[in-house]
Amino acid sequence: MSLKDLCPVLHFRDLGDERGKLVVIEGSRAIPFSIKRVFYIYDSDSTVVRGQHANRESEFVLINVAGTSKVRITDGKEEIIVELNKPMMGVYIPKMIWKDMYDFSPDSVLLVLASTYYDGNEYIRNYDDYLKEMRGDK
Ligand code: TYD
């Protein structure tokens, strides 16, 4: 499966009306997992690179609910870059996929939905270790 198919861009329904917009995301319906954790990243400037890890257990959906950012996603072979620039779009990132978030606009609020509670031990933070593991070297 290509990386684009593994990490699809998701388009959420906009239930807005003349009063404004409304986006609803229901776990295991609009996204492929039930949501255990929500966090958001803001006040990161355009020079910062966040993420820089892969997760053994966690699946994520990333949504810029305000502003814009970019996500570089790789499995060690292919690479895709997704610009998150609408509150009704997101990108799904399954387990064992490396991601970097960068190019944050000053007003960027990057919402992350996660399938797990936080566990720092499930993170792979060294890219060489990640590549070795993906190649089956260890
Ligand atoms: P970090 O993983 O570096 O954030 P990013 O994915 O944006 O690069 O997390 C920053 C700090 O916050 C780090 O000390 C771990 C802590 N943290 C939690 O305690 N719970 C969480 O759910 C997350 C995502 C991070």
Coordinates of all heavy atoms in Angstrom, one line a residue, residues 46-79:
S46 N 7.6 29.5 12.9 CA 7.8 28.9 11.6 C 9.2 28.2 11.5 O 9.4 27.4 10.6 CB 7.7 29.9 10.5 OG 8.7 30.9 10.8
T47 N 10.1 28.4 12.5 CA 11.4 27.8 12.5 C 11.4 26.5 13.2 O 12.4 25.7 13.2 CB 12.5 28.7 13.1 OG1 12.1 28.9 14.5 CG2 12.5 30.1 12.4
V48 N 10.4 26.2 13.9 CA 10.4 25.0 14.8 C 10.0 23.7 14.0 O 9.1 23.8 13.2 CB 9.4 25.2 16.0 CG1 9.0 23.9 16.7 CG2 9.9 26.3 16.9
V49 N 10.6 22.6 14.3 CA 10.2 21.3 13.8 C 9.8 20.5 15.0 O 10.6 20.3 15.9 CB 11.3 20.6 13.0 CG1 10.8 19.3 12.5 CG2 11.8 21.5 11.9
R50 N 8.5 20.0 15.0 CA 8.0 19.2 16.2 C 7.8 17.8 15.7 O 8.1 17.5 14.5 CB 6.7 19.8 16.7 CG 6.8 21.2 17.2 CD 5.7 21.5 18.1 NE 5.8 20.6 19.3 CZ 5.6 21.0 20.6 NH1 5.5 22.3 20.8 NH2 5.7 20.1 21.5
G51 N 7.4 17.0 16.6 CA 7.2 15.6 16.2 C 8.5 14.9 16.2 O 9.2 14.8 17.2
Q52 N 9.0 14.5 15.0 CA 10.3 13.8 14.9 C 10.3 12.6 15.7 O 11.2 12.3 16.5 CB 11.5 14.8 15.3 CG 11.5 16.0 14.4 CD 12.7 16.9 14.7 OE1 12.9 17.6 15.6 NE2 13.7 16.8 13.7
H53 N 9.3 11.8 15.5 CA 9.2 10.5 16.1 C 8.2 9.6 15.4 O 7.4 10.1 14.6 CB 8.8 10.6 17.6 CG 7.7 11.6 17.9 ND1 6.4 11.4 17.4 CD2 7.7 12.7 18.6 CE1 5.6 12.4 17.8 NE2 6.4 13.2 18.5
A54 N 8.3 8.3 15.7 CA 7.3 7.3 15.3 C 6.8 6.7 16.6 O 7.5 6.7 17.6 CB 7.9 6.3 14.4
N55 N 5.6 6.1 16.5 CA 5.0 5.6 17.7 C 4.6 4.1 17.4 O 4.0 3.8 16.4 CB 3.7 6.3 18.1 CG 4.0 7.7 18.5 OD1 4.3 8.6 17.7 ND2 3.9 8.0 19.8
R56 N 5.0 3.3 18.3 CA 4.8 1.8 18.2 C 3.3 1.5 18.3 O 2.8 0.5 17.7 CB 5.5 1.0 19.2 CG 7.0 1.0 19.0 CD 7.7 0.2 20.1 NE 9.1 0.6 20.2 CZ 10.0 0.2 19.4 NH1 9.7 -0.6 18.4 NH2 11.2 0.6 19.5
E57 N 2.6 2.3 19.2 CA 1.2 1.9 19.6 C 0.2 2.9 19.1 O -1.0 2.5 19.0 CB 1.1 1.7 21.1 CG 2.1 0.7 21.7 CD 1.8 -0.7 21.2 OE1 0.7 -1.0 20.7 OE2 2.7 -1.5 21.2
S58 N 0.6 4.1 19.0 CA -0.5 5.2 18.8 C -0.8 5.5 17.4 O 0.1 5.5 16.5 CB 0.0 6.5 19.5 OG 0.2 6.3 20.8
E59 N -2.1 5.7 17.1 CA -2.5 6.2 15.9 C -3.0 7.7 16.2 O -3.5 8.0 17.3 CB -3.7 5.4 15.4 CG -3.4 4.0 15.1 CD -4.7 3.2 15.0 OE1 -5.5 3.4 14.0 OE2 -5.0 2.4 15.8
F60 N -2.8 8.5 15.2 CA -3.2 9.9 15.3 C -4.0 10.5 14.2 O -3.8 10.0 13.0 CB -1.9 10.8 15.4 CG -1.0 10.4 16.5 CD1 0.2 9.6 16.3 CD2 -1.2 10.9 17.8 CE1 1.0 9.3 17.3 CE2 -0.3 10.6 18.9 CZ 0.8 9.8 18.6
V61 N -4.8 11.5 14.5 CA -5.3 12.4 13.4 C -4.9 13.8 13.7 O -5.1 14.2 14.9 CB -6.8 12.2 13.2 CG1 -7.4 13.3 12.4 CG2 -7.2 10.9 12.7
L62 N -4.3 14.5 12.8 CA -3.8 15.9 13.0 C -4.7 16.8 12.2 O -5.0 16.6 11.0 CB -2.4 16.0 12.4 CG -1.2 15.6 13.4 CD1 -1.3 14.1 13.8 CD2 0.1 15.8 12.6
I63 N -5.1 17.9 12.9 CA -6.0 18.8 12.3 C -5.6 20.2 12.7 O -5.5 20.5 13.9 CB -7.5 18.6 12.8 CG1 -8.0 17.2 12.5 CG2 -8.5 19.7 12.2 CD1 -9.1 16.8 13.4
N64 N -5.4 21.1 11.7 CA -5.2 22.5 12.1 C -6.5 23.2 12.3 O -7.2 23.5 11.3 CB -4.4 23.3 11.0 CG -2.9 23.5 11.4 OD1 -2.1 22.7 11.0 ND2 -2.7 24.4 12.3
V65 N -7.0 23.3 13.5 CA -8.3 23.9 13.7 C -8.2 25.4 13.5 O -9.2 26.1 13.4 CB -8.9 23.6 15.1 CG1 -9.3 22.1 15.2 CG2 -7.9 23.9 16.3
A66 N -7.0 26.0 13.6 CA -6.8 27.4 13.2 C -5.4 27.5 12.6 O -4.5 26.7 12.9 CB -6.8 28.3 14.4
G67 N -5.2 28.4 11.6 CA -3.9 28.6 11.0 C -3.5 27.4 10.2 O -4.4 26.5 9.8
T68 N -2.2 27.3 9.9 CA -1.7 26.3 9.0 C -0.4 25.7 9.5 O 0.3 26.3 10.3 CB -1.5 26.8 7.6 OG1 -0.4 27.8 7.7 CG2 -2.7 27.4 7.0
S69 N -0.2 24.5 9.1 CA 1.2 23.8 9.3 C 1.3 22.8 8.3 O 0.4 22.5 7.5 CB 1.3 23.2 10.7 OG 0.5 22.1 10.9
K70 N 2.5 22.2 8.3 CA 2.8 21.1 7.3 C 3.2 19.9 8.1 O 3.9 20.0 9.2 CB 3.9 21.5 6.3 CG 3.5 22.6 5.4 CD 4.5 22.6 4.2 CE 4.1 23.8 3.3 NZ 4.7 25.0 3.6
V71 N 2.9 18.7 7.6 CA 3.4 17.5 8.2 C 4.1 16.7 7.1 O 3.6 16.4 6.0 CB 2.2 16.6 8.6 CG1 2.7 15.5 9.6 CG2 1.1 17.3 9.2
R72 N 5.4 16.3 7.5 CA 6.2 15.5 6.6 C 6.0 14.0 7.2 O 6.3 13.8 8.4 CB 7.6 15.9 6.6 CG 8.5 15.1 5.6 CD 10.0 15.5 5.7 NE 10.2 16.9 5.6 CZ 10.6 17.7 6.6 NH1 10.9 17.2 7.8 NH2 10.8 19.0 6.4
I73 N 5.6 13.1 6.4 CA 5.3 11.8 6.8 C 6.1 10.8 6.0 O 6.2 10.9 4.8 CB 3.8 11.5 6.5 CG1 2.9 12.5 7.2 CG2 3.4 10.1 6.9 CD1 1.4 12.5 6.8
T74 N 6.8 9.9 6.7 CA 7.5 8.9 6.0 C 7.5 7.5 6.6 O 7.3 7.5 7.9 CB 9.0 9.3 5.8 OG1 9.7 8.4 5.0 CG2 9.7 9.5 7.1
D75 N 7.6 6.5 5.8 CA 7.8 5.1 6.3 C 9.2 4.7 6.1 O 9.5 3.5 6.2 CB 6.8 4.2 5.6 CG 7.0 4.1 4.1 OD1 8.0 4.8 3.6 OD2 6.3 3.4 3.4
G76 N 10.1 5.6 5.8 CA 11.5 5.3 5.6 C 11.8 5.1 4.2 O 13.0 5.0 3.8
K77 N 10.8 4.9 3.4 CA 11.0 4.7 1.9 C 10.4 5.8 1.1 O 11.0 6.5 0.4 CB 10.3 3.3 1.5 CG 11.1 2.1 2.0 CD 10.5 0.9 1.3 CE 10.4 -0.3 2.3 NZ 9.1 -0.9 2.3
E78 N 9.1 6.0 1.3 CA 8.4 7.1 0.6 C 8.2 8.2 1.6 O 8.3 8.0 2.8 CB 6.9 6.6 0.4 CG 6.7 5.9 -0.9 CD 5.2 5.6 -1.1 OE1 4.5 6.6 -1.5 OE2 4.8 4.5 -0.7
E79 N 8.0 9.4 1.0 CA 7.7 10.6 1.9 C 6.5 11.4 1.3 O 6.5 11.5 0.1 CB 8.9 11.5 1.9 CG 8.7 12.8 2.7 CD 9.9 13.7 2.7 OE1 10.9 13.4 3.4 OE2 9.8 14.7 1.9

